[in-house]
Every structure is written in structure tokens, then in C-alpha cells.
């Protein structure tokens, strides 16, 4: 039996993880769950999985959860706040940690899990975008295993030779090709993009996801963040990381080798496949995902990504080439802009405009400590908030 903590258990990835775990009660035991403000959902999860610890955002949410669990007769301990997230990440009964909090808020607990030498299943790509160098260095020092959960990175990981510490080897690789669905607006005329609503942006054609990543998919910033994530996970420079649009989301990414071989991983678009792989690596376990029916897929299309329509992708490459804290600025500006878009305070096309302005205005430094990175994150957020205040 392996103990498992899920950071962000009430989200889309968190719930898919619990779905896989529930299929293997002889293999995994839930030790800690965290749910921020989704108290009722977390209460249900505690009833079902009986963790030792449950973490929420603040004292008020903790009181509500405690009262609910007492009424249910569940002995789960309740804690709150960022320190409690770190406590959950380090919990000594849980050698496995799923890092599935959304955004920069996920970094401190994910990093704590890495420093504690856990097997870290990484969905929170923002951690690597903010502080990839520090994160990977911490893993080298502690011996933590990092298993990618993002479907593209799981695909690449599955197409590369990997050592016993789950470290991918890229000798003989020409380039890595990340596939992108193109999101809900891949065929929308550019003039119509200005009027996009949050509801339209969150209606992804192939994947059901949280709201922030859904907007990121619609702007293609998600793919930009994934290019940066791939750089840190696989150690290739930006010019050897390519993106192609593949609308069916069946080929999850590819590795192109010098000898002319190209390896791909295929499957139905369902996050339970990469989650199950990260949970059981190097073994394979059932995930609840239906087998891929090649004949009913019939067609697989590939196109170049349109950087006119999707400037966010180019902005991510630019930040990666700049290096240092530029990717932290990119990430923070994006989070602020996406939140403002979801609140209807700015338009869809203001998202790339604000990020570009932040990349130009906020000074870049070497990303040599967590403090420097978090300071860059703060400066970029302040810059974007001020700009939005001026626009609105
Ligand atoms: P979601 O919005 O559905 O869930 C987010 C989780 O984080 C919830 O449990 C929420 O309670 C928690 N949370 C939110 N803000 C928090 C804060 N400030 N402090 C602590 N906890 C907080 O998001 P999701 O779609 O499950 O995505 C989670 C992560 O996985 C993201 O980094 C996303 O980029 C990545 N990811 C998601 C998918 C997907 O298919 N959903 C695919 C690949 C990668
Ligand atoms: Mg992805």
C-alpha cells in the first residue's frame, strides 16, 4: 500500500486522480487532500477516502469542514493556509504526491514535496514556468522522482528512455514535438476573437478542465507554458521544442530521433491515462479510459500553429529565450490577465497585450533564489493590475 497526498484534490485533475485511485484500493491509500474553498466537495472526498489530513484556504472554511466531518463521524484532521499545504506535501505517510493546484499558489507545496524526496506527480506546470531551474535542482539534490502528468509531457516521457530515477535521456533526439488541439477558437476568424466571452473560452472541444487552463488553451498560452515545462523536464533548448496543431487530440506528443524514427504516444483525450502512468510508473495499471479505436478515429490532422492568431505562444518562447525571471513574469502576468478576463474586466485580446507589456516593462534578473522568483511574480502582478485599473 502506498500513501498518497493530492494537492488540489477538488479540481479537475484531483478528481480524476481519485477516480483512478478508487479503482486500486489494494495499491493506494489517501493520506492528505487539499481543496482550498471547495469545502463541500472536500467533505464528500473525506467521507469516501478518510484521509488523515484535509487542508482548506482559511479558518472559516476549516470551521465549516470540521463541523461537517463531525456530523459525518469522520476523524480527518483539518488544517488551513499555505503552511498546512506544505505540511500535507511533506506528510511522512505519503511517499506519493500529486501536485494539482492551479497557478503559482501550487509552487510552495510542490517544491516542499520535491525537497522531501517524494515521488512527485506534476500537473502544476506553473511551478516549472516560475522556477524550473530551482525545482529541477531541488529534485537532483533530494533524489525526488518527477513524473509528468501533463498529457504532452507524459507522452514524451513515454517515448524516451528513462533511468531508474525516472530521469529521461535525450541522447539521439533531434527535437520534441508538442501537439496542441488549437483550443475552441482554432477556426474562429481573428476579428471575432475580441468579442469572446469566458463561457466560450471555457468550452474546450476535446478536454474538460479547470477554468484557468481552459482559457490558457483558448489563447494557446497553455502550449507556451508547456514548451517551458518541456524545456525543464527534458533539457532541450527552445529551438528544439516545436508545436504542431493536431485537432483530434489523439497523438499527445512526439519525439523525433536523429535516425529518422519518430515515436508518438496515442490515446483518447482523458487525463486518467497520464495520471495512472505517473501513479504506477514503471508499471501500467487500469485507468478507466476506453481503449483507442483507430478505425473510428480514422483521420489524424497536423497543421502549423498560427502565431498571428495566438501571440501568447510566441510570448512564451520569447520569455524562455530571455531566461532568468522572464518566465515568472510571463506566468504571473498571464494569471492576472486570465483572472480579469474571467471576471469580465478585460477582453480576450487584452490577455496577450498585457503579457507583452509586462514582459517589456518588468526587469529581468537571474532566477537564482525562490525570493527573486517570487519578487518577479509580485512585480508582474502589480504591473498588470495597475494597467487593468487604467484600462477599466
Ligand atoms: P481546477 O481549477 O479544476 O482545480 C484547481 C485545484 O487547486 C482545486 O482543488 C482548487 O481548490 C485548488 N486551488 C485553487 N487555488 C488555490 C490556491 N490559491 N491555493 C491552494 N489551492 C488552490 O484546475 P485543474 O484543471 O485541475 O488544473 C490543475 C493543474 O493541473 C493546473 O496547473 C493545470 O495547468 C494542470 N493541468 C490540468 C489539466 C486538465 O486537464 N485539467 C491538464 C494538464 C495540466
Ligand atoms: Mg497539456
Amino acid at each position: 500500500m502506498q500513501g498518497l497526498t493530492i494537492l488540489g484534490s477538488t479540481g479537475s485533475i484531483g478528481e480524476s486522480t481519485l477516480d483512478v485511485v478508487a479503482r486500486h484500493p489494494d495499491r493506494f491509500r489517501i493520506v492528505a487532500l487539499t481543496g482550498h474553498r471547495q469545502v463541500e466537495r472536500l467533505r464528500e472526498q473525506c467521507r469516501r477516502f478518510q484521509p488523515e489530513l484535509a487542508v482548506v484556504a482559511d479558518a472559516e472554511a476549516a470551521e465549516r469542514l470540521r463541523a461537517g466531518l463531525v456530523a459525518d463521524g469522520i476523524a480527518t484532521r483539518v488544517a488551513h493556509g499555505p503552511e498546512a499545504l506544505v505540511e500535507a506535501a511533506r506528510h511522512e505517510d505519503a511517499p506519493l504526491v500529486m501536485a494539482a493546484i492551479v497557478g503559482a499558489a501550487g509552487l510552495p507545496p510542490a517544491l516542499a514535496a520535491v525537497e522531501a524526496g517524494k515521488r512527485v506527480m506534476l500537473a502544476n506546470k506553473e511551478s516549472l514556468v516560475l522556477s524550473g531551474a530551482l525545482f529541477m535542482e531541488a529534485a537532483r539534490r533530494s533524489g525526488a522522482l518527477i513524473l509528468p502528468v501533463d498529457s504532452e509531457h507524459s507522452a514524451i516521457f513515454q517515448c524516451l528512455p528513462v533511468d531508474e530515477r525516472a530521469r529521461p535521456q535525450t541522447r539521439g533526439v533531434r527535437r520534441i514535438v508538442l501537439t496542441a488541439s488549437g483550443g475552441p477558437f482554432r477556426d474562429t476568424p481573428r476579428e471575432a476573437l475580441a468579442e469572446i466571452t469566458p463561457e466560450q473560452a471555457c468550452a474546450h472541444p476535446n478536454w474538460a478542465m479547470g477554468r484557468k487552463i481552459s482559457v490558457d488553451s483558448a489563447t494557446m498560452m497553455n502550449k507556451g507554458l508547456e514548451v517551458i515545462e518541456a524545456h525543464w523536464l527534458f533539457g532541450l533548448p527552445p529551438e528544439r521544442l516545436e508545436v504542431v496543431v493536431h485537432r483530434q487530440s489523439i497523438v499527445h506528443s512526439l519525439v523525433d530521433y536523429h535516425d529518422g524514427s519518430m515515436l508518438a504516444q496515442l490515446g483518447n483525450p482523458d487525463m486518467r491515462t497520464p495520471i495512472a502512468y505517473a501513479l504506477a510508473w514503471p508499471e501500467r495499471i487500469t485507468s478507466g479510459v476506453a481503449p483507442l479505436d483507430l478505425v473510428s478515429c480514422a483521420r489524424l490532422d497536423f497543421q502549423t500553429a498560427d502565431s498571428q492568431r495566438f501571440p501568447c505562444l510566441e510570448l512564451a518562447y520569447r520569455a524562455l529565450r530571455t531566461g532568468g525571471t522572464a518566465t515568472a513574469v510571463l506566468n504571473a502576468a498571464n494569471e492576472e490577465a486570465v483572472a480579469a478576463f474571467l471576471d469580465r474586466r478585460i477582453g480576450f485580446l487584452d490577455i496577450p497585450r498585457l503579457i507583452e507589456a509586462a514582459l517589456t516593462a518588468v526587469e529581468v534578473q537571474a532566477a537564482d533564489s525562490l525570493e527573486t522568483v517570487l519578487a518577479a511574480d509580485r512585480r508582474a502582478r502589480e504591473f498588470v493590475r495597475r494597467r487593468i485599473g487604467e484600462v477599466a
Side-chain angles (χ1 to χ4, degrees):
M1 276 291 237
Q2 290 179 294
L4 167 66
T5 285
I6 306 179
L7 303 166
S9 64
T10 53
S12 165
I13 294 289
E15 297 233 281
S16 293
T17 305
L18 286 171
D19 182 282
V20 176
V21 164
R23 293 166 197 276
H24 302 278
D26 49 333
R27 203 171 167 126
F28 305 110
R29 180 172 62 88
I30 298 293
V31 171
L33 297 175
T34 87
H36 206 50
R37 300 195 190 283
Q38 288 145 313
V39 171
E40 273 313 305
R41 199 175 294 176
L42 188 57
R43 176 180 168 187
E44 272 164 41
Q45 294 180 346
C46 289
R47 259 203 310 260
R48 180 147 181 229
F49 293 95
Q50 315 220 347
E52 192 277 317
L53 174 64
V55 178
V56 287
D58 53 31
E60 185 269 329
E63 246 351 282
R64 270 197 293 140
L65 180 59
R66 251 180 230 120
L69 291 177
V70 167
D72 297 338
I74 300 293
T76 298
R77 179 162 64 89
V78 177
H80 65 87
E83 307 75 36
L85 287 177
V86 167
E87 184 195 342
R90 288 197 185 127
H91 200 297
E92 61 174 11
D93 297 343
L96 308 186
V97 176
M98 168 59 77
I101 289 173
V102 63
L107 171 64
L111 192 58
V114 168
E115 285 166 351
K118 307 288 189 189
R119 174 193 186 114
V120 180
M121 295 162 273
L122 190 65
N124 177 250
K125 63 192 88 187
E126 294 92 344
S127 288
L128 286 177
V129 176
L130 262 162
S131 68
L134 296 167
F135 200 89
M136 299 310 286
E137 178 52 33
R140 266 188 295 276
R141 268 202 309 269
S142 70
L145 267 57
I146 298 187
L147 280 304
V149 171
D150 218 345
S151 56
E152 296 76 3
H153 306 74
S154 173
I156 295 159
F157 184 90
Q158 294 181 55
C159 294
L160 288 171
V162 172
D163 74 9
E164 70 291 346
R165 303 296 304 162
R167 285 174 302 216
Q169 312 295 309
T170 53
R171 244 181 307 137
V173 171
R174 191 195 329 258
R175 59 179 184 142
I176 280 173
V177 183
L178 294 156
T179 53
S181 68
F185 310 132
R186 60 192 168 211
D187 304 318
T188 308
R190 191 166 157 73
E191 314 79 74
L193 291 180
E195 307 303 322
I196 295 296
T197 63
E199 290 71 29
Q200 289 169 309
C202 289
H204 196 280
N206 305 349
W207 300 93
M209 307 181 286
R211 278 159 68 80
K212 190 255 175 185
I213 185 177
S214 295
V215 177
D216 286 347
S217 297
T219 61
M220 277 191 84
M221 179 55 91
N222 183 48
K223 214 46 57 178
L225 300 178
E226 290 182 357
V227 167
I228 300 169
E229 180 185 13
H231 167 75
W232 292 113
L233 287 173
F234 307 116
L236 294 193
E239 62 277 10
R240 290 168 64 202
L241 299 167
E242 284 180 28
V243 172
V244 293
V245 173
H246 164 49
R247 58 177 58 234
Q248 292 91 356
S249 296
I250 295 294
V251 176
H252 297 304
S253 279
L254 313 94
V255 177
D256 184 11
Y257 286 93
H258 282 303
D259 62 3
S261 280
M262 197 180 240
L263 300 190
Q265 184 257 353
L266 285 71
N268 285 313
D270 187 320
M271 290 306 293
R272 290 176 300 174
T273 297
I275 289 168
Y277 190 68
L279 277 167
W281 177 87
E283 289 174 42
R284 299 259 181 188
I285 57 174
T286 55
S287 65
V289 178
L292 182 63
D293 179 350
L294 284 173
V295 173
S296 76
C297 296
R299 280 188 63 152
L300 301 173
D301 295 286
F302 300 93
Q303 303 161 251
T304 47
D306 177 352
S307 55
Q308 293 282 308
R309 185 194 297 268
F310 300 112
C312 284
L313 184 55
E314 213 30 64
L315 291 172
Y317 272 102
R318 170 175 150 190
L320 180 56
R321 283 189 216 101
T322 305
T325 53
T327 56
V329 170
L330 175 94
N331 182 67
N334 181 57
E335 284 188 25
E336 290 296 320
V338 169
F341 169 71
L342 286 170
D343 279 357
R344 301 175 204 278
R345 285 183 283 129
I346 62 169
F348 187 70
L349 294 178
D350 292 324
I351 299 173
R353 283 191 201 116
L354 285 162
I355 299 166
E356 171 152 38
L359 280 177
T360 307
V362 180
E363 194 200 338
V364 173
Q365 293 173 304
D368 48 13
S369 73
L370 196 57
E371 292 69 45
T372 323
V373 167
L374 294 177
D377 171 280
R378 260 195 317 277
R379 276 198 298 280
R381 286 176 199 273
E382 283 160 13
F383 174 86
V384 171
R385 282 190 203 137
R386 219 175 315 118
R387 266 297 165 95
I388 292 173
E390 286 162 14
V391 174

Coordinates of all heavy atoms in Angstrom, one line a residue, residues 125 150-153 213 222-223 226, ligand 2:
K125 N 2.0 22.8 -13.9 CA 3.1 23.2 -14.8 C 3.6 24.6 -14.4 O 4.8 24.9 -14.7 CB 2.6 23.2 -16.3 CG 1.5 24.2 -16.6 CD 0.9 23.9 -18.0 CE -0.2 22.9 -17.9 NZ -0.8 22.5 -19.1
D150 N 1.0 16.3 -17.2 CA 0.5 17.0 -18.4 C 0.6 16.0 -19.5 O 1.6 15.3 -19.7 CB 1.4 18.2 -18.7 CG 0.7 19.4 -19.2 OD1 -0.5 19.2 -19.6 OD2 1.2 20.5 -19.2
S151 N -0.5 15.8 -20.3 CA -0.6 14.7 -21.2 C 0.6 14.7 -22.2 O 1.1 13.7 -22.6 CB -1.9 14.8 -21.9 OG -2.1 16.0 -22.6
E152 N 1.0 15.9 -22.7 CA 2.0 16.0 -23.7 C 3.3 15.5 -23.1 O 4.1 14.8 -23.7 CB 2.2 17.5 -24.1 CG 1.0 18.1 -24.9 CD -0.1 18.5 -23.9 OE1 0.0 18.3 -22.7 OE2 -1.2 18.9 -24.5
H153 N 3.6 15.9 -21.9 CA 4.9 15.6 -21.2 C 4.9 14.1 -20.8 O 6.0 13.5 -20.9 CB 5.1 16.6 -20.1 CG 5.1 18.0 -20.5 ND1 3.9 18.6 -20.8 CD2 6.0 18.9 -20.9 CE1 4.1 19.8 -21.3 NE2 5.4 20.0 -21.3
I213 N -7.0 26.9 -16.9 CA -6.3 26.2 -18.0 C -7.1 26.2 -19.3 O -6.6 26.1 -20.4 CB -5.8 24.8 -17.6 CG1 -5.0 24.1 -18.7 CG2 -6.9 23.9 -17.2 CD1 -4.4 22.8 -18.4
N222 N -1.4 28.0 -22.9 CA -1.2 26.7 -22.3 C 0.0 26.0 -23.0 O 0.9 25.4 -22.4 CB -2.5 25.8 -22.3 CG -2.2 24.5 -21.7 OD1 -1.7 24.4 -20.6 ND2 -2.6 23.4 -22.3
K223 N 0.0 26.1 -24.3 CA 1.1 25.4 -25.1 C 2.4 26.1 -24.8 O 3.4 25.5 -24.7 CB 0.7 25.4 -26.6 CG 1.2 24.1 -27.3 CD 0.9 22.8 -26.6 CE -0.5 22.6 -26.3 NZ -0.7 21.2 -25.7
E226 N 3.7 25.0 -21.7 CA 4.1 23.6 -21.9 C 5.5 23.5 -22.5 O 6.3 22.6 -22.3 CB 3.1 22.8 -22.6 CG 1.8 22.5 -21.8 CD 0.8 21.7 -22.4 OE1 0.9 21.3 -23.6 OE2 -0.2 21.4 -21.8
Ligands
LIG2 MG1 -1.3 19.6 -21.6

